[in-house]
Amino acid sequence: MARLLPGTRALRTFEAAARHLKFTRAADELGLTPAAVSHQIKEIEDQLDLVLFTRTSRTMRLTEAGNVLFEASVDALDLLCRAVTRARKMARGTALLKVTLDAQFATKWLMRRVDGFRRQKPGVELRFDITYEVRDFERDDVDIGIRFGTGKYPGLCAHRLFENIIIPVCSPALLASGPPLKEPRDLFHHTLAHIEWSRRGVTWPNWSMWMHAAGVEDFDDSRTLVFASSTDAAQAALDGNAVALADFAMVANDLSQGRLIRPFELGIKVAPEFAYFLVYPEAMKDDARIVAFREWLLDEVTKDADAG
C-alpha cells in the first residue's frame, strides 16, 4: 500500500492545486511552472488509478475521489508539519529560546534591553523571529511571542504588557525652525502624520480623534499623512518631516534621548481590549526558559511604569 501513496512533495502540489482549482495559482505558490504542476497531478492520478479533477475549457473541479484525497491531504500535511516543528524544538535542546515579535516592538522597545537579560540569564540563548505575521506555536519553530491584540488566544497564556497611549511627537529641529506650537490649533500649520488601523469596531487614535479630545472641532484631516505602520509615522517625526501621533511606549527612548519632543501632554488611550501581550503555549508555562524570559520581561515593563 505504501507504494501506492504519493510522496510529500506530490501531496503538497495536489493540495495547492485542489485549494486554488487553478494550476497557475498553485504553480505561483509552489515556485513551479504550470506544466510541472499538471505533470505531477497526472502522475498522482496514474499512480492511484483515479481521476482527481474534471476539466473544461474554463473551469476545473475536484471529483468525488479528489475531494476525499484533498481533505486527507490537508490533515496529513498539517499533522506532519506539527510533528516536524516538535522534532526541531526537541533537537535544538533546552538552551535556545525563539521569540517572535513585530519589527516595531523589537527595534523601539525590546532590543535595547536584551543585553540585560543575557547578563541575568547567560544560560538562555535568545533568537528572534521578526515578523508582522502571527505565528502558530504548533506549526512554526518559535517558543514565545509578543503580539498586539486582545489577549484572547485559546491554548495560550497571555500577559498584558502595558497601556498604549498615543501622543503627538516631533523633532527638536522641526520645533525650532517651524511655526511655534503653543496651542493645538497651531498644528494646522504643520504636516501631521498618523496610522490608519481598525479592528472589531475599534479605531487606532488619529488626528481627528486627538483634535476632538483637545477641543478643536473644525479640523480638516484631508491633508494628513497616513502610514501603514507606527514605525513609519514615528520615523517621519524623527526625520523632521511631520508631527506624528505615536505610541508612547514605543518612542519613550527617543523622548528621553532628546531625539523627539512631546509638544503637548494630551494623549489618547487605545481601547483597553487591545494591547501588547506576551504569549506562549499553556503546556510550556513551566519551561525554565519561558519562566526566565517572562519574569525578566514583566519586570522591565514594571520598571517602565514606575519610571513613567
Side-chain angles (χ1 to χ4, degrees):
M1 174 59 73
R3 288 182 307 213
L4 295 178
L5 296 177
T8 304
R9 182 175 298 178
L11 279 181
R12 286 186 65 239
T13 301
F14 167 71
E15 186 275 336
R19 178 161 34 88
H20 291 295
L21 290 177
K22 279 184 183 272
F23 286 172
T24 53
R25 290 183 182 175
D28 288 341
E29 178 180 315
L30 298 170
L32 301 172
T33 65
V37 172
S38 179
H39 179 72
Q40 287 191 39
I41 297 301
K42 183 65 167 60
E43 283 191 336
I44 296 172
E45 290 181 325
D46 290 345
Q47 183 180 2
L48 299 178
D49 194 23
L50 292 171
V51 176
L52 303 176
F53 295 93
T54 57
R55 306 167 182 84
T56 68
S57 59
R58 293 186 177 181
T59 63
M60 183 170 70
R61 294 182 180 180
L62 285 168
T63 63
E64 186 175 352
N67 267 311
V68 170
L69 186 60
F70 174 54
E71 292 175 2
S73 296
V74 171
D75 291 341
L77 291 170
D78 182 66
L79 181 63
L80 185 58
C81 180
R82 294 174 189 274
V84 169
T85 298
R86 290 197 301 272
R88 283 177 174 167
K89 289 180 179 180
M90 292 170 62
R92 59 179 164 82
T94 58
L96 181 62
L97 183 71
K98 286 195 173 183
V99 185
T100 180
L101 69 166
D102 67 45
Q104 175 177 254
F105 196 98
T107 58
K108 292 296 186 181
W109 198 89
L110 185 65
M111 290 308 178
R112 59 192 178 88
R113 293 171 164 84
V114 165
D115 285 345
F117 174 82
R118 287 173 173 151
R119 287 193 297 270
Q120 288 184 28
K121 304 293 180 181
V124 179
E125 179 186 356
L126 292 180
R127 295 275 180 85
F128 297 101
D129 170 59
I130 310 297
T131 179
Y132 284 101
E133 294 182 11
V134 176
R135 298 301 195 194
D136 184 330
F137 289 103
E138 292 188 9
R139 296 173 59 90
D140 299 311
D141 189 17
V142 293
D143 303 300
I144 193 168
I146 296 168
R147 292 181 185 173
F148 185 83
T150 63
K152 297 177 181 178
Y153 308 115
L156 300 183
C157 295
H159 303 270
R160 187 187 184 95
L161 296 183
F162 36 65
E163 252 182 351
N164 296 91
I165 301 176
I166 310 307
I167 62 169
V169 295
C170 65
S171 73
L174 182 144
L175 198 60
S177 62
L181 290 174
K182 295 181 179 179
E183 59 181 52
R185 295 183 67 85
D186 292 336
L187 288 163
F188 288 12
H189 304 296
H190 288 268
T191 300
L192 305 181
H194 62 231
I195 69 167
E196 191 172 85
W197 181 94
S198 63
R199 190 178 300 171
R200 299 185 183 181
V202 173
T203 299
W204 190 269
N206 55 39
W207 276 112
S208 291
M209 296 165 66
W210 191 92
M211 289 291 182
H212 178 74
V216 178
E217 300 298 340
D218 58 343
F219 174 66
D220 178 8
D221 67 353
S222 63
R223 297 176 62 186
T224 57
L225 295 177
V226 180
F227 290 92
S229 75
S230 297
T231 301
D232 293 335
Q235 190 60 50
L238 285 164
D239 292 341
N241 296 325
V243 182
L245 287 178
D247 188 337
F248 174 77
M250 297 298 107
V251 296
N253 190 53
D254 292 313
L255 291 167
S256 66
Q257 297 296 320
R259 291 185 291 271
L260 288 175
I261 289 174
R262 185 174 180 176
F264 301 103
E265 286 300 310
L266 176 64
I268 302 178
K269 291 183 180 181
V270 176
E273 59 263 41
F274 285 95
Y276 275 106
F277 289 86
L278 178 69
V279 297
Y280 50 87
E282 290 178 353
M284 300 293 290
K285 65 181 180 181
D286 295 323
D287 183 287
R289 300 163 303 160
I290 286 179
V291 170
F293 188 78
R294 178 184 68 216
E295 291 181 349
W296 170 79
L297 186 68
L298 295 180
D299 185 55
E300 289 295 307
V301 170
T302 300
K303 289 178 183 177
D304 267 17
D306 292 342

